[in-house]
Amino acid sequence: MKNIIKPGEQQVKFDLPVLLLLIFLPSCASEFNIEVDLYIVIGLNSISQNESCPSSMNYLFPPPSVPTLPVKGTDMLYPVHRIYCVGRNYAAHAREMGHDPDREPPFFFQKNPDTIVLSGGTFPYPDKSENVHYEMELVVALGKGGKDISVVSALEHVFGYAAGLDMTRRDLQGAAKKMGRPWEVGKAFEYSAPCGEITPASNSGHPSSGRLWIEVNGEVRQDSNIDQMIWNVPETISYLSGVFTLREGDLIYTGTPAGVGAINRGDQMNGYVEGIGEISISVV
């Protein structure tokens, strides 16, 4: 098929009736200083040299759907791009994991977006592990991306907040640590990122304090305050944007306080972030 527009000539868009006229009345083509080939046009309003018609037939198999989270008080869905998690961001939790809680630079790991479980869902106890832990966290949902974001402007990039769980195969994570290997097998397995609905910051504001806790079978297991984070939300966003280019749709799990522990099949987990929301997950 030849180009519609020759080099140096002005690009022209044709509405469907005009294009059909050019196809069936080639003598009219000279009026527009173009060459015309036969096009099969189905359901198009216009066509130009730089427009294409992508088709699902180009995929080897159907692509997966985009993971989403509900937005509180609306019928809108928040499409998830990436999930970043902050490690050891509460001093007491760092101590219980055997680390120095001094203000060292934050470090991050990722979970895949398709590991999200919506509140009210189930968490299948994973294979290859006999020691699976809950970690209750405040989740930040970005509404605007950026690179090298300043601490001062960081909260302008936040769309909202949610309550989330960083489920962890602690035995596999521990083995990876001893061998100096990445944590994916302990952190990024299926169903490992339960998350509640997102509360827009326009409704909640940007919390710098607030109770964060989780109950397992009605018993409080973790109970802290987000003001105990070593790196607060603006600092975390700023640092993270220096090592990754952030985008709208990115979630940041901001770390967990002390009190992490094991769960078993049949357990019921209910987590809360004051002023933000809650999450309810059943272990099966």
Side-chain angles (χ1 to χ4, degrees), residues 1 7 11-14 72 91 151 155 158 191 201 205 213 244:
M1 183 180 294
Q11 179 171 303
V12 180
K13 287 190 176 182
F14 300 100
K72 186 176 182 179
V151 173
L155 293 181
V158 176
Y191 310 103
W213 76 102
F244 294 97

Side-chain angles (χ1 to χ4, degrees), residues 96-160:
E96 74 178 351
M97 293 290 102
H99 298 282
D100 186 343
D102 287 343
R103 192 177 163 91
E104 62 181 2
F107 71 93
F108 304 90
F109 57 91
Q110 292 189 34
K111 293 176 182 275
N112 302 318
D114 62 2
T115 61
I116 287 176
V117 181
L118 300 182
S119 183
T122 58
F123 173 77
Y125 200 95
D127 297 331
K128 308 299 182 182
S129 179
E130 297 179 355
N131 189 22
V132 179
H133 282 203
Y134 55 82
E135 295 189 2
M136 185 64 203
E137 310 201 4
L138 170 70
V139 179
V140 178
L142 298 187
K144 183 170 67 171
K147 179 73 174 172
D148 294 322
I149 300 167
S150 70
V151 173
V152 174
S153 65
L155 293 181
E156 298 172 8
H157 294 255
V158 176
F159 169 74

